[in-house]
Structures are given as C-alpha cells and as structure tokens.
Amino acid sequence: MSHQTLDEIPVQQLKGVGPKMAEKLAGLSIRSVQDLLFHLPLRYQDRTRITPIGALQAGADAVIEGEVKAADIVFGRRRSLVCRLQDGTGTVTLRFFHFSAAQKNNLSNGTRLRCFGEARRGSSGLELYHPEYTLVSGQQAPMEEALTPIYPSSEGLSQQGWRKLSQQALNLVKPNTLVEWLPQPPQLNGSAVSLEQALLYLHRPPTDAPVGLLREGEHPYQQRLAFEELLAHNLSLLKLRSQTRAHGAPPFIGEDRLSDEFLQELGFALTGAQQRVVTEINHDLKQSKPMLRLVQGDVGSGKTVVAALAALKAVACGYQVAIMAPTEILAEQHFTNFGHWMQPLGLSIGWLTGKVKGKQRKQQLEAMLEHQVDIVIGTHALFQDEVQFAKLGLAIIDEQHRFGVHQRLALKEKASADIGHPHQLIMTATPIPRTLAMSAYADLDTSVIDELPPGRTPVTTVVIDNARRAQIVERVRNACSEGRQTYWVCTLIEESEALEAQAAEDTCENLQALLPELNVGLIHGRMKADEKASVMQAFKENGLDLLVATTVIEVGVDVPNASLMIIENAERLGLAQLHQLRGRVGRGSTASHCVLMYQSPLGQQGKQRLQTMRQSSDGFVIAEKDLELRGPGELLGTRQTGLMQLRIADLERDSHLLEQVKVVAEQLLQQHPNAVDPLIQRWLADGEQYAQV
Ligand code: ADP
Ligand code: MG
C-alpha cells in the first residue's frame, strides 16, 4: 500500500485547524503537516520538576507549587494584584498588572497553585510577573514528561496551540512519511542521524536531554537539521544561478576605443589588482551567458574605476548600463564621477531616484526606453516595475550588502526580452569572510581587489572618552588651521533618521559656536538631494573645513583632502560600519587620523570592537572579528533584506558544515536533481525562495 508523505497532507486535516487558523499558518508558510514539523522550537523550558520556592534563583524559569497566603490589590506606581505563595521552604510574590475580579477571587487564601515563570528580583524579594498558573486540587497533578518546546509564533497563536498542533503532526510520523532527500545522512560527530529521529527529538526532547547543547544549537540532531537547511539554501542559490545562466546575454566583444580613451584621461594607472579584476570581468562579458560576478574590495581599493570600465564595454557595444547605489549620496557621487569621466567621451548619463518625480521622472523614463541615455545611475528606484530600458546590457550594483537577492533578481526583468538577460556586476566593500561568501553568494563568481592604490597613508586610530570632548575640539581646530578637512560623525542608538538629524544639527551648532573661525557644514539623511549634493560639493572643493554628518556618509564618499575623522559614540556602531566610516579618510597623501569617541562605561563587546579598530585597518581582519562578535545577519545586512533567514542553522556556529554542504549540493545537482526542489520547498518559506520556477 502506498501511503501519503507528510508534505501531501494539508494542515486543515488536523484537529482545530479551520479556515481561519489555516490562514494564520499559511502566513507563516505552514501549509502541510511537514511544514509544521519543520517549524522548530526556538528554545525549551524545563517543566518536568517542581523547584522548592526557597531554591528559586533570579533569572531562571521554574515550576513552583504552593499555597496562597494573601492576595491583594496594591496601588503603587501601577495598580497590580499581588499574591504571596508559600510552600514550606520559602515565600514568593506573584505579580499581575492585568487581572480580572474573578481572578482575584480565585486566589483566595489556602488555594494551592502550580505556577511557571521566571523569578526576578523585585521590591519584595523574588517575584514572578504574570506567571502561568493552574489551581491544583488533587494531591499530585502530573508533571510534563518532556522538555516544553517554545515555538516561534505570531499573533493569535498561543504556545499551547503550537504544542497541540505539533503533537498531532508528530503522531502522524510513521516510517517513510518524511522523505529523506539526502543520498546518505551527513556524518556528524561520527554518527548518522535520520531526519525522523531528529524531528521527533527536537520537538519533544526527553527530560534528560543535554539542555546546554540544545541551547547552543550544537546537539547532533540540531546539527543534522542545520546541515539540511544550509544545503537547501545553497541549492536555492545554485539553482538561481543556473536559471539565470540558462538565459542568453549579449556578448561584448572588441570595441576597446572608449576604454582606451578613458584610461588615457584617468590620470593614474590601474593597480595590479584592479587590472586583474578588469580582465576577469572582460572575460565574462565576452560570453553569451550573463555574467554573475561579485567584486570585493576594501574601502578605497578603487572599485568605481573597475565598474566604469565594465560600463564602457557595454556602451561601446551599443548597450545601456544601470548603476545602482544604496544611498542618494553615493548615487550622486557616482553621477558626478561618471559624468566627469564619460561626458567627454560623448556618453549620456541619466539619473533616477525616488526623489525624481513628475514630469522630470516621466522624461527620464522615456529617455531610458528610447535609448537616449547610455548609463543610468540611481537608487532603489531603479528596481521599480515601471522602470524599463531599451537595451539593458549590464547592471552594476554597488555595495551589494545593502540590497537583497530579491532586488538583484528584479533587475534581470528590466532588459527587453529579445536581448536576453543583462550581465550583473556586484560590488561590495564589506569584506566577507570566506565561509559566509560561500553560502550567501553561492550563485556568484568572485573577484577580489586586494591592493590599495599607491600613496595611501594608513589611518592612525585613537580611542578617547567622550568626557574629553574639549580636547578633541582643539584637535579639530588645529587640523583645520593647517588646511586639513575634518568629518565629525554623530550617531544615535535609535534607528530614527529624524532624531539623528536633530542630533547632528545640535552638534553642528555647538561646534560652530566653539570654532567660530571655521566653515562648518552639515549633512544628514533628512535633507533634500540637491541640498546634500551642494554641501558635499562645497566640502569637496574645500569650501568647508568641518563637515558634521550622520552615518549617511558611511558608504563610498570620496574627499581625498579630508584627513581627520571624529566618530561620536563609536561604541554603538558595528565594526563593519566603523570600518566604512573610517574609510572616508586616508584617501590622500597626508597622514590621517580617526578619533573614536565613546561613552563610558564601555561594555565588553564595545571594548573589543574599539580595540579591533585601533589595531587593524584590514577589512578582512575586521570582518572576521565582526562575524565573531555579531553574527552573520548583521554583517550581511540580512536582517533587513530577508536574505538567508535561517531557522535552525547559524552561519557562524555551523560554518564547519559549509564545506560538506557545498560538496553534497553539487552531488545532488548532478546525481539526484529530483531532490533539489523538494529540499528547497521544505526549508525555504515561499517568500525566501530565490529561484521560483
Ligand atoms: P571604493 O573601492 O571604496 O569604491 P573608489 O572607487 O571610490 O574606492 O576609489 C577611491 C579613490 O581612489 C578615488 O579617489 C579614486 O579615484 C582613487 N583611485 C582608484 N584607483 C586608483 C589607482 N589605481 N591609483 C590611484 N588612485 C586610484
Ligand atoms: Mg565605492
């Protein structure tokens, strides 16, 4: 008899799943019983034994049982119901801020309660806020027999509900109802673990499970699933690559006149690394398959020139180029650079951001569609549906880590159907540790510009307490009086552009008052594009001595004469961001300095971060450290973009699996291609699937 596998059984067949619940679950991409089983607990609670009240510890979850000694409504800063519970070993306070009259009446003296919650230190000793509780009447109410899983949830779905659902799903697991797609189970710590074993265990770990390992995600059963999850992501990217590569692309052959002319006018020779990467790119561009290339190069390594040479190849062959930057400022800078370089060559440069509106926008879109512009520079706006090109041959994405895979994908739709897909060149200044690159960019070939242009002087970094601000202001005065320009970067904890802008405005006023002899400028994300552009222009032309800025200047801004940078509250920023910011100085021939100000006391992480910055100027070293301190999500900016939302794997913790993942991925694609889609389907929620057929 053939039976159904669990991916074929819709959740609606479970008890308690009506249309409404089904819709909620679908919102979490849970449609089948298998989906439910792959919705894994985030953590576990131990409700298998009762902790004596006298042995409760602050910060720990515990089950306690005792007798109510008093329950009163207290009118403190907030009205609350306070209940004292006693078990012979001690007394503890239960505190409820939301409660009903019935609830108060239920908690009358002498009632026995079993509670679960986290003990915290409160005004009356240890307290449990809003514990879960049940009244116990009989002598011995049964205890939980397995660790209690806590599931990732969304509104309207209780943990109890999740437990009921997962229990039903677990009951349906019979031999061969979960398909093993791996040709053989991965060898983890020497033992082979089946999928079925792993899932049963992780949904209901036994009471003697090694909680420490589970908490760290290092249990072999978790590793088994992490392996499969990383594999699914890898396959998804490889599939995306092969789908993209299955399309034709226009080969750019010959036509070196524009590039030659450009190089002659440039005023400097390419570094060896730039030269090598240009050769790699040119090789790709000659093919009739789309290039998919990531160029990694530390800040200041000269990626823009490399991009310009690729663009000229496309234009020389009669195609258009789209260049996308993550911020307006950076897009403007490219616009200025490309205009300066390419107008003399007779090229026409277009400009499209979200702020280009109305008639102007319409004209720009028409010009692109009618091939009146060769190169269009812009921001996210270039991804929008209405944007179409006549002959898009190359898409360049600068600072890729700010964009997600999805956005990258949206681009290939922009070329008209008859010419195939555009070539893609992706540039990032965030040096990505190799393991990360391997998984997050499995679909891209990579080139590295591992050499800085000659004549750069390394930036000396010092770390100084905010309290010594006056001293730093003097330092700025001295530097500027010698004709050196300075950045002063304001940062805020809150992710509010408005607040950050306000802080920068205040700082600017304050500094101008302290340094009346200097020309002080201000730039922040709330200013209009043309205002920002004119401030940047003034700074570039040395019309301003001091530029007070928010982190909007983080990426790419290039003013070689600026040789001092002050970063306020540097401890709040991540290493990658600090490295980017610092990269704004040290671009000229004068010795540059970076002052990292911090608010004491400095936490352990903050200390380590600032120390790393002081000790190293190598982007790769800093990135490795960043990965260690913060994890890959932050590093790749994936929090925002949704790239690689992992359920159980952790790129850093599980990086030792990645080599094997890569091997198995290739093996599956070659030998078991029918396993690829089901694996992707199993692990990647619909929203995250990069390659949709
Ligand atoms: P990034 O890689 O950070 O985007 P840019 O492309 O902005 O770096 O280049 C930084 C600066 O170095 C620019 O002023 C650029 O003109 C200059 N530059 C780039 N390549 C060279 C080179 N080979 N020799 C000298 N200066 C160069
Ligand atoms: Mg750049």
Side-chain angles (χ1 to χ4, degrees):
M1 191 190 89
S2 80
H3 51 220
Q4 276 181 308
T5 50
L6 296 182
D7 56 324
E8 295 167 335
I9 306 179
V11 278
Q12 281 91 331
Q13 292 201 6
L14 301 180
K15 233 177 65 199
V17 185
K20 262 220 163 108
M21 176 64 96
E23 200 177 305
K24 269 185 201 151
L25 291 172
L28 297 164
S29 302
I30 298 174
R31 299 196 173 78
S32 69
V33 171
Q34 174 179 280
D35 292 340
L36 202 50
L37 286 172
F38 280 83
H39 188 74
L40 290 157
L42 284 174
R43 56 191 173 86
Y44 305 94
Q45 290 170 344
D46 187 352
R47 303 186 182 203
T48 60
R49 62 206 153 75
I50 291 174
T51 303
I53 290 176
L56 273 180
Q57 287 186 345
D61 283 337
V63 181
I64 53 174
E65 205 172 291
E67 199 167 287
V68 174
K69 279 295 149 201
D72 303 296
I73 295 174
V74 174
F75 297 88
R77 233 172 352 135
R78 271 177 84 187
R79 182 172 167 268
S80 57
L81 171 61
V82 172
C83 173
R84 302 283 291 167
L85 197 72
Q86 211 174 57
D87 71 350
T89 68
T91 310
V92 69
T93 299
L94 316 179
R95 197 181 284 274
F96 301 89
F97 295 109
H98 311 280
F99 56 92
S100 61
Q103 196 174 357
K104 176 180 183 297
N105 294 336
N106 264 333
L107 298 179
S108 56
N109 279 1
T111 310
R112 280 194 75 72
L113 294 184
R114 180 178 292 174
C115 306
F116 178 83
E118 182 191 326
R120 306 190 217 180
R121 240 174 265 295
S123 50
S124 64
L126 285 181
E127 302 190 350
L128 267 61
Y129 291 5
H130 282 273
E132 291 175 43
Y133 69 91
T134 47
L135 310 189
V136 282
S137 42
Q139 254 17 32
Q140 289 212 317
M143 297 299 294
E144 299 285 341
E145 283 169 7
L147 297 185
T148 305
I150 305 296
Y151 291 94
S153 190
S154 68
E155 216 178 296
L157 287 162
S158 70
Q159 287 300 328
Q160 221 175 14
W162 280 113
R163 273 169 231 150
K164 281 189 184 145
L165 286 175
S166 59
Q167 193 53 53
Q168 292 186 67
L170 290 167
N171 294 342
L172 291 172
V173 177
K174 302 270 150 47
N176 303 321
T177 51
L178 282 164
V179 184
E180 286 277 5
W181 290 109
L182 305 188
Q184 64 265 337
Q187 292 291 324
L188 301 163
N189 297 332
S191 57
V193 177
S194 80
L195 186 63
E196 188 183 315
Q197 251 177 328
L199 287 172
L200 291 177
Y201 187 96
L202 292 177
H203 280 281
R204 298 291 182 272
T207 48
D208 60 351
V211 252
L213 277 186
L214 283 173
R215 192 179 324 109
E216 301 302 325
E218 282 170 358
H219 193 285
Y221 290 164
Q222 286 167 315
Q223 291 282 292
R224 162 66 178 82
L225 295 184
F227 182 89
E228 195 176 302
E229 181 175 33
L230 290 170
L231 180 68
H233 276 266
N234 209 270
L235 287 170
S236 175
L237 285 168
L238 290 177
K239 191 174 153 197
L240 164 63
R241 177 182 172 83
S242 75
Q243 280 178 356
T244 310
R245 301 272 292 172
H247 289 89
F252 304 150
I253 296 170
E255 300 299 341
D256 295 330
R257 187 186 50 85
L258 283 178
S259 332
D260 291 347
E261 225 177 302
F262 168 75
L263 285 172
Q264 259 161 35
E265 296 300 317
L266 192 56
F268 52 76
L270 297 187
T271 61
Q274 282 171 319
Q275 190 59 61
R276 191 187 66 241
V277 173
V278 167
T279 308
E280 287 165 358
I281 292 170
N282 284 345
H283 174 80
D284 288 353
L285 292 177
K286 282 188 195 135
Q287 316 300 317
S288 49
K289 284 180 183 177
M291 167 171 77
L292 288 169
R293 187 165 288 278
L294 174 74
V295 172
Q296 287 189 56
D298 209 345
V299 280
S301 61
K303 294 182 290 294
T304 321
V305 177
V306 169
L309 281 164
L312 288 172
K313 266 273 184 258
V315 175
C317 292
Y319 287 88
Q320 290 169 295
V321 179
I323 301 179
M324 214 148 335
T327 64
E328 292 247 334
I329 290 196
L330 191 52
E332 276 152 32
Q333 183 172 289
H334 283 327
F335 187 68
T336 313
N337 276 336
F338 278 75
H340 173 75
W341 285 332
M342 296 184 175
Q343 263 145 9
L345 304 175
L347 270 56
S348 149
I349 316 278
W351 171 248
L352 192 76
T353 67
K355 289 184 181 151
V356 178
K357 293 210 165 84
K359 200 167 141 212
Q360 226 186 333
R361 182 179 192 84
K362 204 163 152 254
Q363 280 171 355
Q364 190 58 251
L365 290 173
E366 272 170 23
M368 288 156 63
L369 203 52
E370 281 161 25
H371 205 156
Q372 287 155 3
V373 288
D374 302 300
I375 298 180
V376 182
I377 295 170
T379 53
H380 293 79
L382 283 170
F383 292 120
Q384 285 161 359
D385 285 342
E386 54 171 4
V387 176
Q388 289 295 334
F389 291 80
K391 258 183 110 176
L392 182 65
L394 170 66
I396 298 175
I397 305 183
D398 197 9
E399 311 295 349
Q400 148 76 11
H401 67 293
R402 298 294 192 88
F403 297 112
V405 172
H406 302 288
Q407 285 167 312
R408 187 140 60 72
L409 289 183
L411 261 179
K412 67 181 187 202
E413 312 298 335
K414 302 287 176 212
S416 48
D418 50 330
I419 65 163
H421 280 196
H423 295 283
Q424 295 181 35
L425 179 64
I426 289 126
M427 302 194 293
T428 174
T430 307
I432 306 156
R434 202 180 60 87
T435 49
L436 261 191
M438 224 161 69
S439 35
Y441 297 119
D443 60 325
L444 302 175
D445 300 307
T446 40
S447 296
V448 183
I449 309 183
D450 50 7
E451 182 186 351
L452 293 181
R456 298 281 168 82
T457 48
V459 181
T460 311
T461 300
V462 292
V463 177
I464 296 182
D465 194 324
N466 274 352
R468 287 162 62 192
R469 191 185 179 91
Q471 221 174 317
I472 297 165
V473 171
E474 280 319 300
R475 191 167 178 157
V476 172
R477 192 195 307 275
N478 290 337
C480 292
S481 74
E482 289 166 11
R484 298 162 56 189
Q485 290 173 277
T486 303
Y487 293 103
W488 187 295
V489 184
C490 305
T491 62
L492 270 192
I493 309 175
E494 299 186 54
E495 295 266 311
S496 152
E497 210 180 51
L499 285 176
E500 196 172 58
Q502 185 59 48
E505 271 170 31
D506 295 347
T507 306
C508 180
E509 238 172 71
N510 174 261
L511 287 171
Q512 181 70 83
L514 293 169
L515 300 162
E517 75 276 24
L518 300 186
N519 290 318
V520 184
L522 171 68
I523 190 159
H524 59 67
R526 289 235 135 175
M527 288 161 59
K528 291 205 177 77
D530 51 344
E531 289 170 353
K532 280 190 282 189
S534 71
V535 172
M536 274 325 291
Q537 198 52 36
F539 191 59
K540 228 174 174 150
E541 288 165 359
N542 208 351
L544 296 171
D545 306 299
L546 173 61
L547 183 61
V548 177
T550 58
T551 49
V552 295
I553 59 145
E554 176 190 342
V555 198
V557 169
D558 188 38
V559 180
N561 189 50
S563 63
L564 175 60
M565 169 169 282
I566 317 291
I567 304 177
E568 278 196 80
N569 303 311
E571 80 280 5
R572 293 173 184 169
L573 300 181
L575 279 176
Q577 205 175 6
L578 286 171
H579 181 63
Q580 283 288 329
L581 280 170
R582 186 174 58 181
R584 302 311 108 217
V585 292
R587 297 183 156 239
S589 48
T590 35
S592 290
H593 297 267
C594 177
V595 178
L596 302 176
M597 290 170 71
Y598 66 89
Q599 186 63 49
S600 57
L602 204 48
Q604 196 50 37
Q605 270 231 5
K607 238 180 229 162
Q608 279 194 38
R609 275 211 287 265
L610 298 186
Q611 196 178 6
T612 306
M613 289 303 294
R614 205 176 52 205
Q615 287 168 349
S616 181
S617 57
D618 181 329
F620 278 92
V621 172
I622 290 173
E624 293 282 357
K625 193 74 193 170
D626 207 17
L627 179 64
E628 190 186 312
L629 292 176
R630 287 199 307 167
E634 297 275 350
L635 194 57
L636 292 170
T638 52
R639 293 272 148 86
Q640 302 91 295
T641 58
L643 160 68
M644 296 214 104
Q645 296 270 330
L646 297 167
R647 300 184 190 188
I648 187 159
D650 176 318
L651 279 178
E652 188 197 353
R653 182 192 65 213
D654 303 330
S655 61
H656 62 283
L657 298 176
L658 290 169
E659 291 282 353
Q660 205 186 341
V661 162
K662 205 176 153 200
V663 172
V664 176
E666 291 294 339
Q667 192 188 353
L668 281 177
L669 282 169
Q670 303 287 328
Q671 297 164 20
H672 307 275
N674 60 323
V676 172
D677 285 338
L679 269 172
I680 295 176
Q681 188 66 41
R682 178 180 277 175
W683 281 101
L684 278 72
D686 355 51
E688 297 168 64
Q689 281 190 34
Y690 313 135
Q692 241 127 29
V693 207

